[in-house]
Amino acid sequence: MTMQTRVNPEVRPGTPHQMGAHFDGEGTNFAVFSAHGTRVDLCLFTPDGETETARVPLPERSGDTWHGYVPGLAPGTLYGFRVDGPYTPDRGHRFNPNKLLLDPYTREMAGGFIRHRALYGYKVGNAGADMSYDGQDSAPYVPKSVISDPETFPLDATRLRRDWSETLIYEAHVKGATMRHPDVPKEARGTYDGMASDAMLDHLTRLGVTAVELLPVHALKSEDALLSRSLVNYWGYNTVGFFAPEPRYFGPEGVAGFRRMVDRFHAAGIEVLLDVVYNHSAEGDHLGPTLSFRGLDNASYYRLAAGEPRYYVNDTGTGNTLNVSHPQVLRLVMDSLRFWVQAMGVDGFRFDLATTVAREAHGFDRSGGFLDALRQDPVLAGVKLIAEPWDIGPGGYQLGQFPPEFAEWNDKYRDTVRRFWRRDRHAAQDLGSALLGTAELFDKRGRRAWSSVNYAASHDGYTLADCAAYTERHNHANGEGNRDGHHANYSENFGVEGRTDDPAILAARQQRVRNLLATVFVSQGVPMILCGDEGGNTQDGNNNAYCQDNPTTWIDWDRMDEGLIAFTAACSALRRAHPVLRQTTFLHGAERTADGLRDVEWLDFDHRPADWSDPALGRICLHLRGSGESATGNASTDEVFLAFNNTPEAAILTLPKQGKGLWQHEIDTARDAQASVSVEGTQVEVAPHSLCVFVCAGETP
């Protein structure tokens, strides 16, 4: 990196009101936060990022915001910051002006990270390591911030605002979902453009998906520990920029491809939810690189260990924890959320390790600063909010404890449905709760039945197919001695670990996957399926594929099971057609006002009350009736009857009498193909280890 000799540009005081770099048609205003820094330099670069052309101090400080205005400085200009101040790690300060820092508010980045010791603020390898001071310039090895054209990110996006009661979430990775899809144009595979290609939209529409939840798309950096093993951070939970779309997913339309993707999803009636990581950054622990926050103001941006500010609070398990309770860090996160809604059209967010961002100095607080700010913000009103309600910090597991505006990932549901179909003792009792939205955790403080996001598999863990093919994790390719990943998977291999050609084992595995999928679709709450599970995708037993950017995680569309896709679509259509399966209020067996019948009845196969005292209970029925009255004032006639036979023998089921009506047999997980069949009489045979769904067809002619 060279310094081009030239006169530095004129810098006027500017304003502190809008953080980041903003072009007003005549020049660019810069504003950046640093409470403990003593000088902030703006550095400008040539278009290729190779040469630093100017280094000028921001001339004004208003409170803790440093700012300046450069006339004539146009969009497309590359820049960064250098911040001077005390380098006293034992006091929590790590200022080093030799390190070029990304603007936390940059919406675009030019270039990428290059592995080099200069990225670290200390002399790598020295005794005491981070207590030393490194004088190497990091600019040649880091991306540059870019002054964006306001027309690239107009604040004019609209949202779909689909109701929670009609939501079906499809969790997907932009690259993994499209990289091997034969019908996605080659130039668009692995990109935002490809994610909303005609082929993907057709598939999602067929499944009845109403919301795509994308794994992190904020700009990221892979950890050096992974790069040293020739791996990368594939999932993306290692953010460096909360406003910049990750460039590795750029396709033919570049950064504009993201907004174009959202617009195409909206035109198809599909919302876009982002998995966001505001709990930590890519700078890691005290031995991590200096990329942005650490060099701007380490003691403000991060939670530091009490009495030992050289070290970081590690409630996230990643080495550091962002201090979202600090007003400026809170502002950063809120500004980021508003940007993705207003400029990019995003419809909602899934907060990774949400307990962390909701934690105050005294611990998790559902009425803390971040959650209060989020809930009262008029821009974010009505945006879908989903919490991952745990972290590894003290009191970190908070399932069911978030405010009413939130839905939550329900890992208890995941484990319950896996345990039930694996025939674990006492699992049926837990299934009873899971099918009704885990009301004991969520039915309080005015929360709705959609508070529980129900899933049997997510990106983090086995795919559904692997739940039925492996009993042990197979994560050797991750380079961690197979020690990483979940220990408790509640899985089963049916006699052979991994791939097999045995037709009986394959049939049992396929039925297990159908059982898990069908259970998710008939449960109260919000169903979520993992991309690929609808077609039997496998990761060959890797249950922690966060670093596998390769065919392990890329969906092999040529091997997807068409029959299973059709089954998933049938389950989705069933749910869509029957509001009783997706009610917004919790069901507790109350009498309906119109006819005195109960909205929920638990029965055995002989139409008697279910025996919940049996620890090995495997046969259970759930009769659901539409609660309350319809819009016309008549009693709701929507009825669904679920019959679970998780025993080795077929069983005769006695259905409730329907007067002049008939039962239609809509779903049978023992069958590969689904067809609606009218039931003659009241008795039906239910196959072993299967779930049958019956719906009331109304009166006969």
Side-chain angles (χ1 to χ4, degrees):
M1 179 70 63
T2 60
M3 180 74 167
Q4 180 173 305
T5 302
R6 63 167 244 173
V7 177
N8 282 335
E10 173 192 1
V11 183
R12 299 174 185 170
T15 69
H17 307 304
Q18 193 172 18
M19 305 299 288
H22 294 276
F23 177 70
D24 63 5
E26 298 181 358
T28 299
N29 191 84
F30 296 88
V32 62
F33 163 75
S34 182
H36 298 97
T38 57
R39 172 186 170 120
V40 177
D41 286 341
L42 168 67
C43 303
L44 305 179
F45 294 84
T46 52
D48 61 6
E50 295 293 326
T51 302
E52 185 175 332
T53 60
R55 186 182 302 183
V56 293
L58 294 180
E60 295 291 331
R61 177 176 181 173
S62 298
D64 294 330
T65 300
W66 302 72
H67 51 95
Y69 180 89
V70 182
L73 201 60
T77 302
L78 309 189
Y79 72 99
F81 296 118
R82 300 180 189 271
V83 182
D84 208 347
Y87 189 85
T88 52
D90 56 340
R91 297 184 180 181
H93 301 305
R94 296 178 179 270
F95 295 102
N96 187 334
N98 299 297
K99 311 305 168 184
L100 186 74
L101 308 174
L102 280 167
D103 182 352
Y105 278 77
T106 190
R107 287 153 288 183
E108 298 177 78
M109 291 164 45
F113 291 98
I114 300 173
R115 288 188 68 195
H116 196 276
R117 291 188 173 193
L119 271 62
Y120 296 81
Y122 60 91
K123 294 180 179 179
V124 177
N126 280 21
D130 65 306
M131 295 298 291
S132 63
Y133 182 86
D134 183 72
Q136 297 179 87
D137 183 8
S138 69
Y141 313 105
V142 296
K144 312 304 182 293
S145 303
V146 181
I147 299 174
S148 295
D149 188 330
E151 295 184 2
T152 303
F153 303 102
L155 303 179
D156 62 356
T158 58
R159 304 200 305 275
L160 283 184
R161 298 182 183 272
R162 298 203 65 162
D163 193 86
W164 275 112
S165 65
E166 62 185 16
T167 297
L168 167 58
I169 297 174
Y170 188 82
E171 190 197 24
H173 187 284
V174 169
K175 187 173 184 179
T178 62
M179 195 64 184
R180 302 176 74 186
H181 200 306
D183 296 326
V184 173
K186 286 186 178 181
E187 67 276 9
R189 293 175 189 172
T191 73
Y192 303 120
D193 311 62
M195 191 67 211
S197 61
D198 289 343
M200 289 299 298
L201 291 177
D202 288 346
H203 179 71
L204 296 173
T205 302
R206 177 187 179 188
L207 294 179
V209 168
T210 68
V212 170
E213 182 176 302
L214 299 178
L215 267 68
V217 296
H218 289 173
L220 65 98
K221 179 190 180 300
S222 290
E223 301 91 324
D224 278 359
L226 288 178
L227 296 173
S228 66
R229 303 199 297 268
S230 298
L231 299 170
V232 298
N233 190 310
Y234 169 72
W235 283 350
Y237 294 92
N238 214 42
T239 306
V240 293
F242 293 146
F243 295 77
E246 169 53 36
R248 68 182 177 181
Y249 308 137
F250 286 169
E253 296 193 48
V255 69
F258 187 93
R259 173 69 180 265
R260 172 68 171 159
M261 173 191 72
V262 174
D263 290 343
R264 283 180 58 82
F265 274 128
H266 284 180
I270 299 172
E271 294 182 311
V272 177
L273 314 179
L274 297 188
D275 195 334
V276 287
V277 189
Y278 296 119
N279 55 77
H280 74 279
S281 86
E283 290 183 309
D285 62 12
H286 63 292
L287 297 177
T290 297
L291 310 173
S292 182
F293 305 132
R294 177 172 280 141
L296 286 167
D297 194 339
N298 185 68
S300 296
Y301 276 104
Y302 292 111
R303 293 187 182 274
L304 304 181
E308 293 185 287
R310 175 184 174 185
Y311 304 105
Y312 296 82
V313 171
N314 189 22
D315 292 338
T316 63
T318 63
N320 66 56
T321 301
L322 281 172
N323 185 16
V324 181
S325 62
H326 188 286
Q328 286 293 340
V329 184
L330 174 60
R331 178 182 179 180
L332 172 74
V333 173
M334 295 300 297
D335 286 347
S336 170
L337 292 169
R338 286 187 288 263
F339 168 78
W340 289 97
V341 170
Q342 293 178 296
M344 296 302 208
V346 166
D347 303 281
F349 304 93
R350 180 264 192 189
F351 293 89
D352 178 65
L353 302 183
T355 302
T356 299
V357 293
R359 183 178 276 112
E360 300 291 330
H362 56 273
F364 171 81
D365 189 344
R366 72 172 65 94
S367 298
F370 171 67
L371 295 184
D372 280 353
L374 187 63
R375 296 162 65 199
Q376 63 77 44
D377 191 284
V379 172
L380 302 177
V383 166
K384 285 186 169 63
L385 305 174
I386 302 172
E388 181 186 42
W390 53 76
D391 66 10
I392 66 168
Y397 190 74
Q398 294 291 335
L399 179 65
Q401 300 306 309
F402 278 76
E405 293 83 357
F406 277 81
E408 300 178 34
W409 269 30
N410 189 346
D411 65 325
K412 181 179 179 181
Y413 177 96
R414 175 199 64 200
D415 295 347
T416 292
V417 296
R418 291 187 186 184
R419 287 175 52 245
F420 173 78
W421 288 112
R422 199 179 66 165
R423 302 174 306 284
D424 288 11
R425 291 172 67 82
H426 303 287
Q429 288 77 2
D430 291 336
L431 181 70
S433 168
L435 290 170
L436 296 182
T438 319
E440 74 275 13
L441 288 177
F442 292 106
D443 190 10
K444 50 191 173 183
R445 300 187 302 277
R447 300 191 72 176
R448 312 292 282 181
W450 49 256
S451 299
S452 176
V453 174
N454 301 324
Y455 61 101
S458 70
H459 72 275
D460 188 4
Y462 281 145
T463 67
L464 278 192
D466 287 354
C467 281
Y470 295 91
T471 57
E472 303 293 336
R473 61 184 186 267
H474 295 263
N475 300 351
H476 301 281
N478 296 351
E480 300 178 39
N482 204 35
R483 295 184 299 272
D484 59 305
H486 291 301
H487 297 271
N489 296 290
Y490 305 108
S491 60
E492 188 172 8
N493 66 17
F494 292 90
V496 174
E497 186 77 353
R499 296 179 184 257
T500 181
D501 294 325
D502 187 310
I505 293 176
L506 291 175
R509 289 177 175 180
Q510 290 162 357
Q511 184 166 341
R512 173 64 56 83
V513 172
R514 291 194 295 270
N515 287 339
L516 292 167
L517 279 170
T519 305
V520 170
F521 278 103
V522 299
S523 298
Q524 303 295 319
V526 178
M528 183 183 81
I529 57 176
L530 172 65
C531 174
D533 278 352
E534 74 275 18
N537 180 61
T538 178
Q539 292 178 171
D540 292 317
N542 191 323
N543 75 347
N544 189 35
Y546 76 104
C547 55
Q548 299 298 324
D549 187 3
N550 53 53
T552 298
T553 53
W554 302 343
I555 306 301
D556 187 350
W557 291 92
D558 288 334
R559 294 176 62 90
M560 291 279 272
D561 183 339
E562 173 59 29
L564 186 57
I565 293 173
F567 175 82
T568 306
C571 290
S572 177
L574 172 81
R575 183 180 181 86
R576 195 161 57 250
H578 294 281
V580 72
L581 293 173
R582 45 187 176 85
Q583 300 189 65
T584 60
T585 56
F586 288 94
L587 305 176
H588 296 288
E591 289 186 359
R592 301 192 303 182
T593 57
D595 55 19
L597 296 174
R598 296 191 180 278
D599 55 18
V600 171
E601 281 189 281
W602 292 102
L603 303 165
D604 66 11
F605 270 44
D606 294 319
H607 201 61
R608 298 174 303 197
D611 180 10
W612 294 108
S613 65
D614 181 2
L617 182 62
R619 293 174 185 163
I620 188 170
C621 301
L622 173 59
H623 191 170
L624 294 168
R625 299 183 179 94
S627 59
E629 296 179 348
S630 68
T632 62
N634 298 319
S636 170
T637 57
D638 190 26
E639 293 189 47
V640 172
F641 194 88
L642 311 176
F644 295 81
N645 178 21
N646 196 22
T647 69
E649 297 85 26
I652 300 300
L653 167 69
T654 300
L655 288 164
K657 293 182 179 180
Q658 285 298 317
K660 296 181 180 180
L662 288 176
W663 285 107
Q664 290 290 124
H665 193 172
E666 296 288 346
I667 298 292
D668 187 343
T669 63
R671 301 196 306 247
D672 292 330
Q674 303 302 305
S676 181
V677 178
S678 295
V679 178
E680 299 294 336
T682 60
Q683 291 194 321
V684 179
E685 182 176 286
V686 179
H689 307 303
S690 67
L691 163 60
C692 288
V693 182
F694 304 87
V695 302
C696 180
E699 292 192 1
T700 58

